[in-house]
Amino acid sequence: MNMEQALQAFIVESNELLEDMEGALLRVLSEDDPADSINAIFRAAHTIKGSAGLFGLDFIVEFAHVAESVLDKIRDGALPIDDALVSLLLACCDHIGKLVAAAARGCTQADAELTNQAAPLLKGLRAYLGEPASDAAHKPAAGALVAQAAGQPGHDTPGRVVSNDSGRASDHWHISLRFGPEVLRNGMDPLSFLRYLGKLGRITGIATLPDALPALSDMDPEACYLGFEIALRSDESKAAIEGAFEFVIDDCEVRILPPDSRIGEYLELIESHALSGDDGSVRLGEILVRCGTLTRRELDDALGLQGRGATAPLGELLVEQGRVHPPVVEAALVRQKQIKEGKGAETQSVRVDAHKLDHLVDLVGELITATATASLAGRSLASAALHEAHSTLAGLVQEVRDSALQLRMVKIGATFNRFQRVVHDVSREIGKDIGLHIQGEDTELDKTVVEKIADPLTHLVRNSMDHGIEPAHVRAERGKPARGTVSLNAYHDSGSIVIEVGDDGGGLPRDKILAKAVERGLVEPGKQLSDQEVYGLIFEPGFSTADQVTNLSGRGVGMDVVKRNITALRGAVSIDSRPGQGATVTIRLPLTLAIINGFQVAVGESVFVLPLDAVEECIEFRSDTGHDYTELRRKVLPFIELRKLFKVSGHPSSRQSLVVVRHGNQRFGLVVDRLLGEAQTVIKPLASMFSHLHGISGSSILGSGEVALILDVPALAQRALVTRLDAASALDAGKNASQLITHTSL
């Protein structure tokens, strides 16, 4: 790993740590025992500070150090954590994120803007530390610790380490470090790793080893010949100490032996292994890793030697390498015999660039189209062997498709959890006490959908807080708890994902919305509208019922954008309101935007595709009443004739079919000429010039090379809803709507 790759790894890791830090800060005040969250916050700041020091990013180190000092006081119980301190630390978390972003852009120091933004944060932090702001100028630079360590006594003779502590010389971590010759050429500075060790504890002794130096005439000025024997007093684990060398682990040899005081601790951990509900591993290496005396890398190295022909047992090999003390291996072997149940394979993950997954799905889409073409060509040949081979191929392609799409599926919980911060900040901005309740965070959907739904959800959450939740005194008058609640919920339903954004506020003012719509000319005076139609008016461009404009809402901009963005994802949005109890916005989205199981139908020579999950049944249909609705099992079923809707030329088939489609709680029918059956469908977006088409959400290429249009089920459902309301009124009036309907198999 070169310096640039290492820096990118640092940036990715820092952003993940900042997300963890923010999450822990948002929940710390609501926990009965916040110790774990406080430790998580401290570890995140500590790790970012230490890693930044490896790259000489002193502007990150210096700011994070002050925040870490405050967190250290909180962790020790010397400083109580309250709402004001959490808000300050959240702001510091945001600022560290900006500093990391600056480092990603290649900055080696903070610019004037970042420095000005840091000033009030540092002032607030130092107030908790009891330090005046001027003290910052007297603090040692980030590299001073190493210089102090290198200049202290204890460098007796090469290869020998002498502790400067008054305690026993063996009561420290002993680190044997040999840098490889490529370290300098890869852009790494050996001194920075010693600097980081100094942040994990106190370096009590260092001996520099010059024995690898060649004769002066043979020396390569770009090669590294350094070796060190280091004594470190630290409370960190062996894995954490080894982590200091993460960016050069492949270019160096490092051996770490724990202090004598740790051996008893390891023996106790081994003795208790698998007795408290864990997995009960019987592998010696796993036992040693779990108790902390061996790191995962050391185990992998030893197993690699065995794989290359080393005949010694693993325990003996580890002792010979100086990785583990003999008593610890003996205790692990004894414990291994006592454990009866085996451990399953350990779950591992690999980080893959998103564009590689996208490219894979694109290739699978092309494979599906090519398979359909081959199937069409194969039908002209009466070959049983070819038919069987194609059937096998089609099954494998479907498995590949499912696996490729599964790789892009992510849990929506990460998106939901980001709103903890939104609710925290906005509730304080508008002076309301509001909490966030999350359900269904394990629900999975395509990462592309997750990325594009974040902005609409943000607007809906902020809108619920500003318009939905009443002020505390109003809630008290209505007998509600002072603390309002915004809820996020997600679940799967009929091949779609449903996301609900709700609140326990006052609900939507139906009469006020209708009056505003009449005033703007959106609705004719006196026209009767259903509740759903009235609530749907708030999605009209520029529509707002706010009495005054705030920083959050009231300008009539936002809800129309929410609907437009959701519609662009082939989704639908609706609102349900309960006066005095709250409102819920329901978003229904497809699980994926790439490939679906489709059901093909034909009208004339035109082929249309429906998502298979939306199709309930198909029935033979013949209409002789002229109505746009029928009765199916004594219930009104509105239908849409695709031939009329899309103005398809020609005459209807003498034997038409009615495809019964379900969208949410609504059922309606589509009248078609022929049923072509199931087929995997690769979704191709329509060009912008076709964006005005109603009822079409995309296209697909058939095996014949022709284009099939994918039907927009939410849009068609909305169209059918009007017909259903008219039909219900007609049936109530006693009109006969009987049709000749014969049920057939799908």
Side-chain angles (χ1 to χ4, degrees):
M1 180 183 291
N2 59 34
M3 191 65 171
E4 182 62 28
Q5 292 172 324
L7 180 60
Q8 291 303 315
F10 159 72
I11 291 166
V12 171
E13 180 190 24
S14 296
N15 288 327
E16 291 174 350
L17 287 169
L18 288 170
E19 287 184 11
D20 295 341
M21 183 177 178
E22 180 180 274
L25 281 167
L26 290 170
R27 65 175 179 267
V28 68
L29 294 178
S30 61
E31 295 177 328
D32 295 332
D33 183 7
D36 289 342
S37 292
I38 291 173
N39 286 332
I41 298 165
F42 177 84
R43 284 195 301 270
H46 178 76
T47 302
I48 292 173
K49 184 192 80 168
S51 298
L54 290 175
F55 298 96
L57 301 172
D58 290 349
F59 66 103
I60 298 180
V61 174
E62 291 164 4
F63 183 86
H65 174 74
V66 182
E68 181 192 32
S69 299
V70 173
L71 292 169
D72 199 25
K73 291 185 67 174
I74 296 172
R75 191 174 61 158
D76 293 340
L79 183 63
I81 189 166
D82 56 19
D83 189 73
L85 183 51
V86 166
S87 296
L88 175 61
L89 291 173
L90 281 169
C92 292
C93 180
D94 291 342
H95 187 70
I96 294 174
K98 294 177 182 177
L99 297 178
V100 171
R105 296 192 301 268
C107 300
T108 57
Q109 60 183 11
D111 57 24
E113 182 179 357
L114 287 174
T115 301
N116 292 335
Q117 292 174 359
L121 300 177
L122 291 171
K123 182 179 179 181
L125 291 171
R126 292 196 174 103
Y128 284 102
L129 295 173
E131 300 177 2
S134 60
D135 282 0
H138 304 292
K139 293 188 180 297
L145 180 59
V146 177
Q148 294 169 4
Q152 65 184 2
H155 303 173
D156 189 305
T157 57
R160 180 164 178 248
V161 180
V162 180
S163 173
N164 298 310
D165 285 351
S166 57
R168 295 178 304 153
S170 59
D171 197 23
H172 55 241
W173 292 90
H174 184 101
I175 304 170
S176 295
L177 177 61
R178 305 292 185 272
F179 285 105
E182 301 300 315
V183 166
L184 295 176
R185 273 191 280 266
N186 288 336
M188 296 296 178
D189 178 8
L191 186 61
S192 65
F193 297 94
L194 302 184
R195 179 188 298 126
Y196 185 66
L197 277 181
K199 298 179 186 302
L200 297 180
R202 190 154 84 89
I203 298 176
T204 59
I206 299 180
T208 304
L209 306 179
D211 48 300
L213 284 171
L216 187 59
S217 59
D218 298 329
M219 185 176 293
D220 181 351
E222 294 182 350
C224 181
Y225 305 102
L226 293 176
F228 298 94
E229 295 290 328
I230 305 168
L232 174 71
R233 183 178 291 279
S234 173
D235 294 329
E236 298 286 350
S237 66
K238 186 175 186 180
I241 295 173
E242 184 186 82
F245 308 101
E246 177 182 1
F247 299 120
V248 290
I249 201 69
D250 295 327
D251 291 330
C252 75
E253 179 184 345
V254 58
R255 295 183 180 179
I256 306 170
L257 282 177
D260 291 345
S261 59
R262 287 283 179 119
I263 296 179
E265 176 185 336
Y266 295 149
L267 296 178
E268 290 179 7
L269 289 171
I270 290 172
E271 180 63 27
S272 63
H273 181 71
L275 294 181
S276 57
D278 61 17
D279 54 25
S281 169
V282 297
R283 295 177 181 140
L284 174 66
E286 293 291 337
I287 295 175
L288 295 174
V289 169
R290 290 180 61 125
C291 77
T293 189
L294 188 71
T295 68
R296 176 67 57 185
R297 184 192 63 83
E298 291 175 329
L299 174 60
D300 291 342
D301 288 347
L303 293 175
L305 285 176
Q306 286 189 322
R308 292 191 294 271
T311 57
L314 179 62
E316 292 182 15
L317 191 60
L318 292 171
V319 172
E320 290 175 4
Q321 291 180 324
R323 307 287 193 188
V324 186
H325 289 291
V328 179
V329 174
E330 292 173 7
L333 288 170
V334 172
R335 189 69 186 115
Q336 184 185 33
K337 294 179 182 179
Q338 298 172 350
I339 300 175
K340 297 179 180 180
E341 296 181 355
K343 172 190 173 186
E346 194 171 276
T347 301
Q348 297 182 353
S349 60
V350 177
R351 189 186 301 276
V352 179
D353 290 338
H355 72 87
K356 292 182 179 179
L357 289 180
D358 294 339
H359 183 59
L360 174 62
V361 172
D362 289 342
L363 290 177
V364 172
E366 295 300 326
L367 180 60
I368 291 172
T369 303
T371 303
T373 303
S375 174
L376 193 64
R379 291 176 187 173
S380 61
L381 301 176
S383 171
L386 178 60
H387 181 74
E388 182 178 352
H390 178 267
S391 178
T392 302
L393 176 62
L396 291 173
V397 168
Q398 184 166 353
E399 289 185 22
V400 171
R401 182 208 68 169
D402 293 341
S403 298
L405 291 179
Q406 193 62 38
L407 290 175
R408 299 205 333 174
M409 301 298 280
V410 297
K411 293 181 179 179
I412 200 171
T415 298
F416 277 4
N417 287 329
R418 295 175 191 169
F419 291 103
Q420 296 281 5
R421 179 65 183 278
V422 174
V423 172
H424 176 276
D425 292 348
V426 172
S427 61
R428 282 151 182 78
E429 179 182 344
I430 62 180
K432 297 179 182 179
D433 184 10
I434 303 175
L436 178 65
H437 178 66
I438 293 176
Q439 286 182 296
E441 55 266 37
D442 291 335
T443 305
E444 292 186 332
L445 71 164
D446 193 293
K447 72 171 188 66
T448 306
V449 181
V450 170
E451 292 167 356
K452 294 183 178 181
I453 198 61
D455 286 344
L457 286 180
T458 299
H459 187 88
L460 292 174
V461 169
R462 292 165 67 94
N463 208 55
S464 291
M465 298 176 69
D466 194 28
H467 286 308
I469 305 294
E470 315 97 323
H473 69 277
V474 176
R475 294 180 66 85
E477 292 172 359
R478 296 177 176 175
K480 294 183 176 182
R483 184 179 179 84
T485 301
V486 173
S487 60
L488 288 171
N489 184 27
Y491 57 91
H492 288 150
D493 180 53
S494 299
S496 301
I497 181 171
V498 179
I499 302 174
E500 296 176 340
V501 182
D503 63 69
D504 63 349
L508 292 175
R510 185 187 189 282
D511 295 339
K512 190 174 182 179
I513 293 172
L514 184 56
K516 191 73 173 181
V518 171
E519 177 188 328
R520 290 193 51 195
L522 297 174
V523 177
E524 296 179 4
K527 183 176 181 180
Q528 297 298 314
L529 299 178
S530 67
D531 289 346
Q532 289 294 320
E533 289 176 312
V534 172
Y535 298 145
L537 291 170
I538 70 173
F539 294 110
E540 292 295 324
F543 191 91
S544 175
T545 60
D547 296 324
Q548 60 183 4
V549 175
T550 69
N551 290 335
L552 296 180
S553 57
R555 294 178 174 85
V557 178
M559 294 299 281
D560 60 316
V561 177
V562 168
K563 184 174 182 179
R564 187 163 61 247
N565 289 345
I566 292 171
T567 303
L569 293 172
R570 305 201 325 273
V573 58
S574 62
I575 300 179
D576 177 41
S577 179
R578 303 166 303 284
Q581 300 179 31
T584 300
V585 179
T586 301
I587 301 170
R588 183 175 293 270
L589 297 165
L591 288 178
T592 177
L593 301 179
I595 303 170
I596 61 171
N597 283 323
F599 185 76
Q600 296 180 357
V601 297
V603 178
E605 299 302 318
S606 301
V607 178
F608 299 92
V609 180
L610 282 160
L612 183 62
D613 291 324
V615 178
E616 283 198 343
E617 59 182 316
C618 297
I619 56 180
E620 187 177 340
F621 177 79
R622 186 171 67 249
S623 172
D624 54 12
T625 66
H627 295 302
D628 289 338
Y629 55 87
T630 183
E631 281 188 88
L632 179 61
R633 290 186 279 277
R634 296 187 178 182
K635 290 185 178 180
V636 175
L637 182 73
F639 61 80
I640 298 172
E641 296 185 63
L642 294 185
R643 179 178 293 277
K644 291 182 179 179
L645 178 63
F646 298 123
K647 296 180 174 60
V648 179
S649 59
H651 297 286
S653 169
S654 58
R655 186 177 178 180
Q656 292 181 298
S657 297
L658 186 71
V659 181
V660 181
V661 178
R662 179 175 179 265
H663 176 68
N665 296 323
Q666 183 182 353
R667 295 166 74 242
F668 63 97
L670 296 174
V671 180
V672 301
D673 289 345
R674 300 187 308 281
L675 306 176
L676 303 181
E678 301 178 27
Q680 297 182 64
T681 302
V682 182
I683 300 171
K684 302 290 185 181
L686 291 173
S688 57
M689 64 182 296
F690 299 112
S691 59
H692 65 284
L693 293 179
H694 183 78
I696 301 296
S697 63
S699 62
S700 183
I701 307 299
L702 301 176
S704 62
E706 297 176 347
V707 174
L709 297 177
I710 300 172
L711 296 175
D712 186 348
V713 173
L716 295 175
Q718 186 65 31
R719 186 183 185 94
L721 177 62
V722 178
T723 303
R724 185 179 67 82
L725 295 175
D726 294 340
S729 300
L731 291 177
D732 288 343
K735 294 184 178 179
N736 183 16
S738 63
Q739 311 281 336
L740 179 62
I741 300 176
T742 306
H743 191 278
T744 60
S745 175
L746 178 59

